[in-house]
Amino acid sequence: MRRVILFLTRASFWLSGWVSGALLCAAATVESSANQATKLIAPAVSTGTGLLLEPALTLPEFTREKFAAAMATVGAEKIRRPWTSPVVTLAPHPRAGVRGLTEAEVKSYMLEARRLFDRGEAAPVSDVGLISTQEDVIRKPMLNHIAAFSNSVVRVYLLVQKTSTDTGWSHFSIVQDLTVTPVLDYYAELTAAGPRFEGTSCYKCHSSGPLAIHPAREDLVLDAPLAAAISQHIAEQPRSQFVFPKDSPKPPTGEKLTLKFCTRCHDDGGERDALYQVHAHPIRVLVDFGYMPPNRRLKPEEIAELKAWLERKP
Ligand code: HEC
Ligand code: HEC
């Protein structure tokens, strides 16, 4: 799937270059977009916007050695694996010409991702996640192993997670059904009884589907190039729609964000889905750490407008 997209992108660059006679220029564009794929994720540094509810965490006691040891408690053989592609290819879908996966098929992809991870056949990236760690209630290292899988009908993600003080690891999964338009995103916790679909809590951070990876500190990631490659795969995801199960509905959203410097990209029908007050937590973190907007720093008056909107009672 990814190859096809890459090929198409290249082909269209090539064609437009050919049509305009600017072949050299087209070749340079292709080159720079290929380089971007391997650009490492920028380190998390607070820009001091005043948007954070709690001081920026630096976790001084949590050394790289402690981090690596805590990560390995999941089973050292399952992580830090050699990889060539950041996305593990799944067997082709058994049902030909499928339009719309059944819930049972979605769940079986979730379980397959977990099985591959447990057998050391995934390519997981391991990090301390910035957004979850900086959250006002957690405030301790949130350890994440994230692995990506796909075939021509699905993109599957697995998250194996615990805080630094929990004993056991929890498992979560997102499956994107690519056989329908718009693409549908299913969220679940993988419990002992099997995958349990959820929506309410996941939507508070996952407003547009899977989230790009943001380690809390530059040294709290095992395999930074893999983190960048998985993040790139996530960023290239199709626009998709959240599936809310009946017993875990969409939470009250509060007001929609209408500030132009965000809605250029985050809006109904935009590059990313619209943001609401319910998404305050990832908004505060991603803007304060300078990740949003992606291409520039907000001006002080823009920060003030965003802050006022975040503080408005829904
Ligand atoms: C507090 C915010 C928050 C909530 C709530 C949340 N997530 Fe996430 N999730 C994240 C962040 C941040 C990442 C990327 C972590 C990183 O950078 O290491 C992530 C990553 C994931 C991934 C790996 C793929 C990806 O998106 O990068 C899965 C799978 C996942 N979450 C599932 C879930 C499910 C299922 C729920 C609801 C039960 C949920 N999450 C709720 C913040 C959240
Ligand atoms: C130029 C386009 C662009 C602008 C402008 C922009 N964003 Fe984003 N935003 C993105 C992209 C692309 C992603 C997903 C990739 C990533 O996280 O790096 C994203 C991700 C996010 C996320 C995580 C949820 C998601 O959609 O994946 C939040 C929250 C967010 N942006 C908030 C904001 C806020 C708040 C503003 C305005 C201050 C803003 N963004 C401006 C492009 C943009």
Side-chain angles (χ1 to χ4, degrees), residues 127 131 144 159 174 188 198 201-202 205-206 210-211 213-214 234:
D127 80 339
I131 294 181
N144 293 336
L159 169 66
I174 303 173
E198 281 190 42
S201 72
C202 317
C205 296
H206 291 270
L211 277 166
I213 301 199
H214 294 102
I234 290 173

Side-chain angles (χ1 to χ4, degrees), residues 43-48 52-62 128-143 163-164 214-220 281 284-285 288-289 291:
V45 182
S46 170
T47 61
L52 294 179
L53 295 175
E54 301 278 339
L57 273 183
T58 52
L59 310 169
E61 265 81 60
F62 204 62
V128 171
L130 171 69
I131 294 181
S132 322
T133 302
Q134 176 65 39
E135 191 175 24
D136 38 354
V137 280
I138 297 183
R139 304 289 289 168
K140 51 180 130 174
M142 179 62 97
L143 314 179
T163 69
S164 54
H214 294 102
R217 215 171 64 202
E218 203 175 0
D219 60 334
L220 300 183
H281 174 60
R284 287 178 189 278
V285 175
D288 185 74
F289 284 85
Y291 294 115

Side-chain angles (χ1 to χ4, degrees), residues 143-156:
L143 314 179
N144 293 336
H145 303 286
I146 293 176
F149 311 82
S150 72
N151 64 17
S152 65
V153 306
V154 280
R155 283 178 165 218
V156 184

